[in-house]
Amino acid sequence: MAKKEYSIDMVNGPLTKNVIRFTVPLMLTSLLQMCFNTADTIVVGRFAGDNALAAVGATGSLCFLMVTMFNGLAMGANVVIAKFFGAEDRKGVENSVHTAMLLSLISGVLLTLVGVLCAEPLLKLMQTPDSIIGQSLLYLRIYFGGALFFLVYNFGAAVLRSKGDTRRPLYFLAISGVLNVVLNLIFVIVFHWGVAGVATATVASNALSSIFVVITLLKENDATRIYPSRLKLNAGITKEILRIGIPAGIQGAMFALSNLVIQSSINSFGSETIVAGNSAAANIENFVYVGMNFTSATMTFISQNIGARKYNRIGKITGVTMALNAGCAAFISLSLYMFGKSILGLYTTSPDVVSYGMIRMTWVCLFLWLNGVMDVFLSALRGMGHSTMPTVSMIVCICGFRLVWLFTVFRAVRTLPIIYYCFPISWVLTSVVLGVMWICAYKKLKRKPVGQI
C-alpha cells in the first residue's frame, strides 16, 4: 500500500538491513535538531545578551514537560497505524490516519490554551528570577501560540514512519531548520527582537515543516492520503491511540519532573563550577542518544509484524534492535569518554569544570548502553500494544527509585558521584522488570491463534 520509493518492508526481507535503513534518517534528524538548537543558543547568547539567553534557557524544562504529554499521542498513532499496515487493512489505515491528524489539531489547540494561560503561574512556581521572568513569559506565549504547527508535524511524521518512511521527515526538518537559523539571525541581529525573535523563528520553522508534511499526505497515492472532508474521530481507533499514547506522555512528564529534582540536588552544592561541569557533560550525552534511535524501529517493526500476525519475528526484531541500540550507544559513549577532557575543553577553559564534567561522564555517559537496553524493551512492549504497565514500571523503577535514592542515600552521603549512581542502578532495575514483562507478553502472543491480533 505504501509508496515503493520511500516505504520499507518491515514484515519480509533482511531484518538488520531494513532496521538500519529505517533508523539512519532518524539519527540524522536527531543530529540536525541538536545542531539547530546549538545555533539558536549561540545566536541568543552572542547577539541578544546573557539575560535573553537565561530567559530562553529557563523555559526549556517547562516546554519539554508540556510538549511531551501530547507527543505521547503521536507515538500511539504510530503504533496503531503500523498495525493496520502490517495487516494490509487499507480501511483501517485510512481511518487511523484521519483520526490521528484530527487529534493533532485538537491537541494543538489544547496545548496552545494551556501553555499561554498557565505560562506565568508555572514560571513563578519554578522560582524564575524576576530579572528574566518577563522575557521568559514572552517566549513561552509566542512558542505555545504556534504549538499547533509542532504537533501537526509530529503526528504527520508518525504517519509516514508507520509505513517505514523516515527520509521525508528528515528532508522537511533540514529545510525548516535552516529557515529557523536564518530567521534567528534576521530577527535577533537585524530587527533586534531578542527573545521574541527567537520564539517567532521557531514558530515559523515549525509552520513550514507542518506545511510540508500536510502537503505530502494530501498527495500520497496510498491509504495514508488525507482528505480534509474525512477528518473525524473513529471511536475505537481514538481509544487505542489514547490507551497507548497517554501513558507514554505521562511517563515523559514524570521523567521531566524527576530530572528537575536531580538538577536541584546538584544545585544544592552551591557551586557554579559543579553545575557548569554537569551541564556540559549532560549536553555531550545527547550525542549518545543520537545513536539510540533504534527504539523507534523496534516499536514500528513490531507493530507491523503483529498486524501481519508474524509473531515469530517479534523476538528477532527485539534482539536485533537491542544489539544495535546498546552496541551503538556503548561505542559512542566509550569514544566520548576517551576524549572527554578535550571535548569538555570546548565548553570551558576551567580545569575544575572539566574535572566535574568527567565525574558525570564516568558514572552516566559510560553506562548509557544500559539505557539503550531498557528503551528497547519498553519500545517492544509498546509495539506489542502494552503501554500502561510498562509506563507504571518506568515511573516506579526510574522516577520513584531516583527520588528515594536522593532523599535517603544522597542525604546520608552528600557527594557528587552518589547522585550519579542512581542513573545506572535505575537502568538495570528497570531493564530487569521490563525484560520479565517482555518475556511474559511474548509467550502469551505466541500462544495466540493465527487469526487473532
Side-chain angles (χ1 to χ4, degrees):
M1 288 189 295
K3 274 190 173 182
K4 184 178 180 181
E5 64 269 30
Y6 288 110
S7 64
I8 294 174
D9 190 345
M10 302 185 191
V11 298
N12 301 292
L15 181 58
T16 302
K17 178 183 176 181
N18 286 338
V19 165
I20 293 174
R21 284 180 58 207
F22 179 93
T23 306
V24 168
L26 292 177
M27 291 181 173
L28 295 175
T29 299
S30 297
L31 192 58
L32 276 176
Q33 287 176 325
M34 288 175 56
C35 292
F36 292 143
N37 290 339
T38 300
D40 287 353
T41 303
I42 292 172
V43 170
V44 175
R46 292 291 298 275
F47 300 105
D50 292 341
N51 267 15
L53 179 61
V56 174
T59 66
S61 57
L62 186 55
C63 289
F64 178 79
L65 176 65
M66 298 182 72
V67 169
T68 297
M69 290 290 295
F70 291 91
N71 271 347
L73 298 181
M75 183 184 300
N78 176 272
V79 171
V80 172
I81 298 170
K83 282 186 179 179
F84 283 122
F85 258 109
E88 297 186 354
D89 183 347
R90 183 182 181 89
K91 189 64 177 178
V93 173
E94 291 175 351
N95 289 336
S96 57
V97 167
H98 285 88
T99 296
M101 295 312 294
L102 183 54
L103 271 177
S104 74
L105 298 177
I106 296 172
S107 299
V109 172
L110 287 175
L111 182 55
T112 293
L113 291 174
V114 173
V116 171
L117 295 176
C118 298
E120 185 170 8
L122 287 173
L123 285 171
K124 290 180 178 179
L125 185 64
M126 294 171 62
Q127 300 182 11
T128 305
D130 293 336
S131 59
I132 63 172
I133 193 170
Q135 293 188 77
S136 294
L137 180 59
L138 176 62
Y139 178 88
L140 283 176
R141 284 179 171 167
I142 295 175
Y143 178 87
F144 284 116
L148 175 66
F149 302 124
F150 180 79
L151 287 178
V152 166
Y153 169 78
N154 277 6
F155 273 78
V159 170
L160 294 175
R161 285 197 300 270
S162 69
K163 59 180 179 179
D165 181 2
T166 55
R167 286 189 287 163
R168 283 185 289 183
L170 169 62
Y171 303 152
F172 303 154
L173 179 70
I175 296 171
S176 63
V178 170
L179 176 68
N180 187 25
V181 174
V182 171
L183 290 181
N184 268 329
L185 294 171
I186 295 173
F187 293 158
V188 176
I189 300 175
V190 179
F191 293 164
H192 304 290
W193 288 359
V195 166
V198 177
T200 303
T202 299
V203 171
S205 64
N206 287 338
L208 181 63
S209 61
S210 68
I211 290 172
F212 280 143
V213 81
V214 168
I215 290 176
T216 297
L217 292 175
L218 285 170
K219 293 183 176 182
E220 288 295 84
N221 295 322
D222 58 23
T224 60
R225 181 170 182 169
I226 57 173
Y227 298 87
S229 61
R230 297 184 190 176
L231 290 176
K232 65 178 182 179
L233 298 180
N234 178 287
I237 292 173
T238 301
K239 182 179 178 181
E240 187 67 5
I241 291 175
L242 295 178
R243 186 183 69 81
I244 297 171
I246 289 178
I250 292 173
Q251 175 198 306
M254 292 299 296
F255 266 48
L257 290 173
S258 68
N259 286 337
L260 287 176
V261 176
I262 290 174
Q263 184 63 53
S264 177
S265 299
I266 293 169
N267 294 345
S268 70
F269 287 104
S271 169
E272 294 180 0
T273 306
I274 290 178
V275 173
N278 175 78
S279 298
N283 187 268
I284 292 171
E285 288 167 15
N286 288 329
F287 288 97
V288 183
Y289 287 104
V290 169
M292 291 165 61
N293 274 290
F294 291 98
T295 53
S296 295
T298 307
M299 185 171 63
T300 309
F301 273 66
I302 285 179
S303 296
Q304 277 215 17
N305 278 272
I306 285 181
R309 299 189 290 276
K310 293 192 173 184
Y311 305 135
N312 289 332
R313 282 172 60 90
I314 306 303
K316 187 175 180 181
I317 292 169
T318 304
V320 167
T321 54
M322 184 173 294
L324 290 169
N325 210 50
C328 195
F331 175 76
I332 298 174
S333 295
L334 183 59
S335 300
L336 291 173
Y337 180 78
M338 289 174 62
F339 299 98
K341 291 184 179 179
S342 299
I343 298 173
L344 286 166
L346 299 175
Y347 291 77
T348 179
T349 58
S350 169
D352 289 336
V353 172
V354 171
S355 178
Y356 285 121
M358 285 303 297
I359 294 176
R360 177 172 178 124
M361 292 193 72
T362 300
W363 294 109
V364 181
C365 186
L366 269 182
F367 291 93
L368 274 170
W369 65 272
L370 293 170
N371 192 349
V373 172
M374 177 191 75
D375 284 348
V376 168
F377 276 132
L378 177 64
S379 297
L381 285 164
R382 285 187 175 146
M384 295 160 75
H386 303 285
S387 188
T388 301
M389 285 308 298
T391 296
V392 171
S393 300
M394 291 283 286
I395 292 174
V396 173
C397 297
I398 294 285
C399 304
F401 171 80
R402 290 178 183 178
L403 292 177
V404 171
W405 180 275
L406 293 173
F407 287 113
T408 55
V409 179
F410 175 61
R411 283 192 176 184
V413 185
R414 287 182 53 82
T415 65
L416 192 58
I418 286 293
I419 295 178
Y420 295 142
Y421 291 166
C422 73
F423 285 92
I425 295 175
S426 63
W427 291 331
V428 171
L429 176 63
T430 312
S431 294
V432 171
V433 173
L434 293 179
V436 171
M437 292 179 66
W438 180 88
I439 292 172
C440 294
Y442 183 44
K443 287 183 177 179
K444 182 178 180 181
L445 191 63
K446 290 179 70 175
R447 289 197 298 268
K448 274 189 174 184
V450 175
Q452 292 185 15
I453 298 179

